[in-house]
Amino acid sequence: MNALPFAFAYPAILGALVALPVIWWLLRLTPPRPKTEVFPPLKILASVLKREETPAQSPWWLTLLRMLLAAAVILAIADPVFNPRTNSLVAGGPLVLFVDNGWATAPDWERRVQTAEALIDDADAAGSPVAIAFTADPTNDAVPGSAAAARDKLQAAEPKPLVPDRQRAFEALRAALNGTKPGTLAFLADGAAAKDNETTVRDLANLQPAELRLIEGDAEQTIAITGASNAADAMTVTATRLDTSSAAQLPLTAQDAQGRAIAAGSVSFQPGQSTSIGSIAAPFEMRNDFARVSIDAHATAGSVHLLDDGFKRRRVVLLSGEARDEFQPLLSPLYYIQRALQPYADLIEPNSPDLATSIPDLLSQNPSVIIMADIGRLPQETYEPLQRWIANGGTLIRFAGPRLAAAPADDPLVPVILRQGERALGGALSWAEPQPLADFPNFGPFAGMAKPTDVTIKRQVLAEPTPDLAERTWASLADGTPLVTTKPINAGRIVLFHVSAEATWSNLPISGNFVEMLRRIVQLSRSGGVTSEAGAASTAEALPPFRLLTAKGVLTTETGTARPLIQNAKTAPVSNFDNPPGLYGSEDGFTALNVLPDNAELKPLDTAGVTVVRAGLIGGETWSAKPALFLIAFLLLLADSLIVMFMSGAFSRLRPAARSAALIAVAIAAGLFLAPHDLRADDSKPGDDQILQRLDNTHLAYVVTGEQDVDNISERGLEGLTEFLTYRTTLEPAPPVGLDITKDELAFYPIIYWPISASAPMPSTAAINRIDAYMRAGGTVLFDTRDQFSALDNSGGAQSANGERLQQILANLDIPPLEPVPSDHVLTKSFYLLSSFPGRYAGSPLWIEARQDNRASDPKSAASADGVSPILITGNDFAGAWAVDENGTPMLPTVPPDEAQREYAYRAGVNIMMYMLTGNYKTDQVHVPALLERLGQ
């Protein structure tokens, strides 16, 4: 867009360069060097009688240096600007801003706002009206108005975790213009096509603007994950990118539900490649804990792929038509199914061979899948609950066998109509040889699997031909007869293998493909479990928003105007304005909705056939050479002064030692001035000695709020706890440390005490992100509202100011579900035996990470690594109870005044520190006798 690589802000100043010849002539003259003469009068008189001399000329190189100095000053005043922004707008109509604010604009949103503001300023100066529309907003008021109103709309806008709906925004813009032709129409695009065959640029050109300007950001930042599959030995991740000009290798990180990184991998792109598949290798048990996969260093909603219950272990019921043969297990119908699914699912078998009693009992356990191996007829009373269970989302997998072949053809739990009997291949009465498998179709769970070459089918049950048989067939034999068929029933499905589950009818059960086929079908089921209760189907289809994804890829509990997700068995849900990306459901089970649909591909905008003026975002390209020129001029002036001082003999009068010292001082000063680094506030980071000292010693740390009284109590409180730990335990912490969370290294400290103060400045987003990263890396933050109120348990009452500030901070943190410390938690026995955790007050509980499934009976069910919660919350003012002055005297009274309460506050602090340093060590069974003895039981 810029015709010249640089321009001058004040070009008229360059006229002063004409005076350089005059300056040359003036600067060539310099007074003669003064001489030192002996006093004798005759010598002085001889000098007086000498003929008149003209001043000596200055050396040419000194004159050239001075000319360069003058030229540098003139150029600096003229202010040369490289890559200047073109400020001119085409007149004749309003300025129209068509702004993408989807997920891909999150990394450079500030620069986009700056670019739009600069265009609005130009329109304001020209008196032109401004119309603005945002492509990721559900509604737009794009009627041309004042520049001030456009600025307000721009400041209120923010990037959304959505694919832009440019067609909706364009329709609103066209209706608002009502035939008015724009002057300059600026399309601030993210560079990616929102859908196939998109015509947005041509549609904008059809508005007949005087100038269509296309402004795009850095395409290297537009990278997204479009799929993840939990394969047998690793998780495969599909990623796509917009910029394909060079090769790239991107790191992948898998995180658990609390946001902690638990596995890593990578995905590589070759030049010209827009889509690639990477992998994350980890044991299956660890992969079951994956909650999301993200691309490091790309904080967008597209670079995060949420994983739902579809990647977790399923509860699978195994039913067989015959009793298990303990002496010949290889002939058991369930033997190979058990071996295939045991690594991937929780298997349940009936306690009674009576299906009339065992099936209702098994359905009460809410399984996700029921597998029936060669069961022909079921008890009549079991059909109705089984059909309700399937309609509510259950998956029934059946295997053929002699019993099923002899069953009635009208069985409602069979996906297709079966012919009576079975077909034998390769037998005495058959002309057909055993059949191999055909290629798997490109739909269904087996799509993408290679055709097995070593599998042959000797016997099968046949399906009656129907018009929809082909679309119900997931696998078939080489002769076209179905091998695996399916039938959807409301939210669930029935699947039938037309062969037996053991190796008598085929060798499929003893092949590796059998494991993968079963695993893929089971993964299609609902992992949260399915109930057979009547009416559950209607409620199961609508999932309320649980946690939503922000444009920067962070999960938040703020659901806003999001509506429940209506699941459709035929099509996968797609994120939109009503259902933005996130998790839908509840803690018991949820469905993940990601920004891009599976296997989507990022493609550049189609501008073919349209004349556009391309430009980049401002803020990074434009820079002024004025400071550099003034620096050069100053250095030339300094060099000129030193040269003149040498020529005038100023240094010759100094003694040799003093002269050397002066030269050294000048060299040092010049070296410091010309040092290549910038002096910044964050250069005061701790040195190696301080880092080693903090690593060699355990320090209690607190967040510096900027309020002197609060910070003083925090420091003296942690000092009091440090003295108590030194006196009562073998732990001898070093003095406490106050932290500036915006720049100090946080990883040195096992726990950080954060006193919440509503009057203190709200922490910046960068500071909260650093705290979030610290918690994900294994650190713990103890939030203390110091107001005795439970900041998390006052939904029905008034909230304190400190509690409201805490809620604002927590809204930006990816924290796990919380609960008050259970009575059997390790915190109650890590050092002292405690039943409560008082501080200066005793009315607030201590909140910690909730155990998974809220199973208090399982001491090892905490989701945190080694049982340590990344967050603790209280309102009891721990530091106020611990604080002591220089003489060891408590600074603040407890409420009510009770020294026993202060003692228990210290003990609570000791237990918290031991919990931080030892984790769930005290939950080990070896400690139970000692604890029971201390409890007197």
Side-chain angles (χ1 to χ4, degrees):
M1 179 177 174
N2 297 322
L4 294 175
F6 69 93
F8 291 91
Y10 307 100
I13 302 297
L14 297 177
L17 295 175
V18 179
L20 284 180
V22 178
I23 298 175
W24 172 276
W25 179 75
L26 292 175
L27 293 180
R28 289 187 64 209
L29 304 179
T30 185
R33 175 179 176 178
K35 298 181 179 180
T36 303
E37 301 288 354
V38 186
F39 178 70
L42 292 178
K43 193 160 181 90
I44 297 176
L45 185 59
S47 299
V48 173
L49 295 176
K50 285 184 178 180
R51 67 181 182 275
E52 183 178 355
E53 295 180 351
T54 60
Q57 292 183 353
S58 63
W60 68 269
W61 49 268
L62 180 60
T63 304
L64 179 61
L65 184 145
R66 293 174 176 176
M67 291 289 293
L68 292 176
L69 171 60
V73 172
I74 294 172
L75 292 175
I77 296 175
D79 192 9
V81 178
F82 286 80
N83 297 323
R85 183 180 68 86
T86 301
N87 296 329
S88 60
L89 295 178
V90 177
L95 168 66
V96 176
L97 298 177
F98 195 71
V99 184
D100 275 345
N101 61 327
W103 66 270
T105 63
D108 53 8
W109 178 250
E110 295 301 326
R111 291 181 59 195
R112 293 176 181 274
V113 172
Q114 294 174 13
T115 304
E117 285 181 339
L119 293 172
I120 294 174
D121 291 342
D122 295 341
D124 193 10
S128 301
V130 181
I132 186 169
F134 299 95
T135 60
D137 286 357
T139 59
N140 279 286
D141 180 11
V143 177
S146 65
R151 290 192 190 96
D152 293 340
K153 295 179 183 178
L154 182 64
Q155 292 300 324
E158 60 181 4
K160 304 294 179 61
L162 296 169
V163 175
D165 190 346
R166 295 177 179 137
Q167 187 61 35
R168 175 184 292 200
F170 172 77
E171 295 297 336
L173 176 63
R174 182 169 60 180
L177 292 177
N178 194 22
T180 302
K181 296 181 180 180
T184 294
L185 195 160
F187 182 14
L188 276 73
D190 59 21
K195 58 183 179 181
D196 294 337
N197 302 320
E198 185 179 11
T199 61
T200 300
V201 178
R202 288 190 289 274
D203 292 340
L204 293 175
N206 290 335
L207 296 178
Q208 301 180 8
E211 178 194 34
L212 178 56
R213 191 178 300 181
L214 180 61
I215 304 175
E216 296 177 315
D218 185 6
E220 292 183 358
Q221 297 293 324
T222 308
I223 300 174
I225 298 177
T226 59
S229 176
N230 203 354
D233 55 350
M235 170 171 284
T236 60
V237 179
T238 304
T240 180
R241 62 174 181 167
L242 185 60
D243 182 10
T244 62
S245 59
S246 61
Q249 183 171 5
L250 304 175
L252 300 172
T253 299
Q255 300 170 335
D256 61 9
Q258 282 71 44
R260 293 181 294 267
I262 57 178
S266 63
V267 57
S268 299
F269 291 90
Q270 299 300 323
Q273 186 180 14
S274 62
T275 302
S276 181
I277 298 177
S279 64
I280 300 177
F284 186 82
E285 291 76 12
M286 183 178 293
R287 281 183 274 133
N288 270 334
D289 292 333
F290 288 179
R292 55 182 165 179
V293 181
S294 60
I295 301 176
D296 294 349
H298 289 78
T300 66
S303 64
V304 173
H305 192 80
L306 301 176
L307 306 176
D308 54 20
D309 297 344
F311 289 82
K312 297 182 180 179
R313 294 174 70 92
R314 304 300 198 272
R315 183 174 297 169
V316 178
V317 170
L318 301 181
L319 297 175
S320 174
E322 61 183 37
R324 176 181 299 180
D325 190 343
E326 299 293 344
F327 298 99
Q328 293 181 323
L330 296 180
L331 299 179
S332 171
L334 298 178
Y335 178 82
Y336 298 103
I337 297 175
Q338 289 175 323
R339 296 301 184 273
L341 293 180
Q342 198 163 20
Y344 310 108
D346 296 328
L347 305 180
I348 305 173
E349 295 190 49
N351 296 323
S352 170
D354 184 1
L355 296 181
T357 59
S358 60
I359 287 181
D361 179 63
L362 293 170
L363 289 177
S364 66
Q365 302 182 47
N366 298 336
S368 300
V369 179
I370 295 178
I371 297 180
M372 295 182 180
D374 191 22
I375 294 180
R377 293 179 174 88
L378 291 170
Q380 189 63 37
E381 62 270 24
T382 62
Y383 278 95
E384 184 178 353
L386 276 173
Q387 288 174 308
R388 287 200 306 267
W389 173 81
I390 295 172
N392 291 344
T395 299
L396 175 64
I397 303 175
R398 303 191 67 173
F399 283 85
R403 293 176 179 82
L404 183 62
D410 58 351
D411 189 342
L413 298 181
V414 175
V416 293
I417 301 175
L418 296 178
R419 294 183 182 180
Q420 292 294 315
E422 71 271 7
R423 180 178 73 155
L425 302 173
L429 300 179
S430 174
W431 289 275
E433 295 295 328
Q435 290 288 307
L437 268 64
D439 292 331
F440 294 114
N442 57 4
F443 62 90
F446 309 144
M449 286 183 58
K451 179 183 70 174
T453 58
D454 56 346
V455 173
T456 56
I457 308 300
K458 296 183 294 184
R459 189 181 296 269
Q460 68 175 147
V461 292
L462 292 175
E464 291 287 353
T466 57
D468 59 348
L469 181 60
E471 60 188 51
R472 289 191 184 183
T473 301
W474 282 351
S476 59
L477 304 186
D479 62 1
T481 56
L483 176 66
V484 181
T485 55
T486 184
K487 177 183 179 181
I489 298 180
N490 291 346
R493 62 172 55 86
I494 302 174
V495 180
L496 172 63
F497 281 78
H498 290 240
V499 294
S500 63
E502 24 75 32
T504 57
W505 285 29
S506 71
N507 62 349
L508 176 63
I510 61 176
S511 69
N513 297 87
F514 184 71
V515 177
E516 182 65 13
M517 292 171 73
L518 270 184
R519 189 194 66 82
R520 291 195 179 198
I521 296 175
V522 169
Q523 287 298 115
L524 292 177
S525 65
R526 186 175 300 172
S527 71
V530 181
T531 178
S532 62
E533 296 298 327
S538 60
T539 59
E541 294 179 357
L543 301 177
F546 177 44
R547 287 190 175 184
L548 298 183
L549 205 62
T550 66
K552 293 187 176 181
V554 178
L555 280 175
T556 177
T557 56
E558 297 294 332
T559 58
T561 59
R563 296 183 179 180
L565 180 66
I566 307 299
Q567 292 186 308
N568 190 331
K570 295 183 179 180
T571 60
V574 179
S575 61
N576 51 43
F577 297 114
D578 293 332
N579 300 122
L583 303 177
Y584 289 80
S586 65
E587 293 183 359
D588 297 329
F590 47 78
T591 295
L593 182 61
N594 290 290
V595 177
L596 297 176
D598 289 345
N599 301 320
E601 182 179 355
L602 292 176
K603 298 178 181 179
L605 277 171
D606 183 11
T607 59
V610 182
T611 302
V612 297
V613 179
R614 294 185 177 271
L617 301 176
I618 67 173
E621 302 86 356
T622 302
W623 63 279
S624 173
K626 183 176 183 180
L629 289 172
F630 272 125
L631 176 62
I632 294 173
F634 176 77
L635 295 177
L636 292 175
L637 178 62
L638 181 63
D640 181 84
S641 301
L642 292 175
I643 292 171
V644 171
M645 292 176 67
F646 272 108
M647 293 179 64
S648 63
F651 291 102
S652 63
R653 302 189 188 100
L654 300 175
R655 295 181 179 180
R659 185 164 55 249
S660 300
L663 291 175
I664 292 173
V666 171
I668 293 175
L672 291 176
F673 184 80
L674 297 177
H677 66 281
D678 297 328
L679 296 179
R680 299 175 298 178
D682 57 2
D683 286 342
S684 58
K685 293 181 178 178
D688 293 341
D689 294 340
Q690 187 177 2
I691 290 176
L692 291 176
Q693 192 272 337
R694 293 185 179 179
L695 290 176
D696 289 342
N697 297 276
T698 300
H699 293 263
L700 307 184
Y702 65 94
V703 173
V704 175
T705 64
E707 296 185 342
Q708 184 63 35
D709 294 342
V710 176
D711 295 339
N712 183 54
I713 293 298
S714 297
E715 180 182 10
R716 299 312 307 170
L718 296 188
E719 180 65 34
L721 181 58
T722 297
E723 295 177 1
F724 191 88
L725 285 165
T726 303
Y727 178 69
R728 297 289 183 92
T729 72
T730 57
L731 176 63
E732 297 181 2
V737 176
L739 298 178
D740 182 351
I741 58 176
T742 62
K743 63 180 181 180
D744 287 339
E745 180 57 58
L746 308 180
F748 299 150
Y749 314 99
I751 185 171
I752 297 175
Y753 178 76
W754 191 335
I756 302 299
S757 176
S759 56
M762 178 68 183
S764 64
T765 302
I768 293 179
N769 290 340
R770 296 186 81 239
I771 286 290
D772 195 27
Y774 165 79
M775 295 168 63
R776 292 182 181 182
T780 297
V781 180
L782 171 56
F783 293 95
D784 194 342
T785 57
R786 305 175 296 112
D787 54 10
Q788 195 176 0
F789 292 101
S790 171
L792 305 178
D793 203 21
N794 282 336
S795 57
Q799 184 70 271
S800 67
N802 290 354
E804 292 177 354
R805 173 56 58 86
L806 175 61
Q807 297 283 11
Q808 295 172 3
I809 295 174
L810 296 183
N812 297 312
L813 290 173
D814 191 11
I815 62 173
L818 303 177
E819 65 177 352
V821 176
S823 59
D824 62 341
H825 195 273
V826 66
L827 261 173
T828 64
K829 53 193 173 185
S830 58
F831 194 85
Y832 293 105
L833 295 177
L834 298 177
S835 59
S836 62
F837 297 86
R840 188 164 171 247
Y841 309 106
S844 172
L846 179 61
W847 293 81
I848 62 169
E849 178 183 5
R851 295 169 174 173
Q852 292 183 5
D853 301 330
N854 292 325
R855 296 176 182 173
S857 60
D858 184 4
K860 296 184 179 180
S861 62
S864 301
D866 204 24
V868 177
S869 173
I871 183 173
L872 303 175
I873 299 177
T874 186
N876 285 336
D877 192 6
F878 282 163
W882 300 335
V884 294
D885 58 18
E886 299 296 337
N887 299 322
T889 304
M891 298 177 61
L892 299 174
T894 61
V895 180
D898 184 1
E899 287 306 311
Q901 179 175 323
R902 191 183 305 276
E903 172 68 19
Y904 279 105
Y906 278 118
R907 293 186 178 187
V910 171
N911 275 28
I912 290 174
M913 280 304 300
M914 294 303 170
Y915 171 62
M916 292 299 105
L917 299 176
T918 64
N920 58 10
Y921 169 70
K922 281 296 181 70
T923 63
D924 293 342
Q925 196 70 19
V926 68
H927 298 284
V928 171
L931 293 174
L932 292 177
E933 181 180 354
R934 292 175 62 187
L935 289 170
Q937 299 180 7

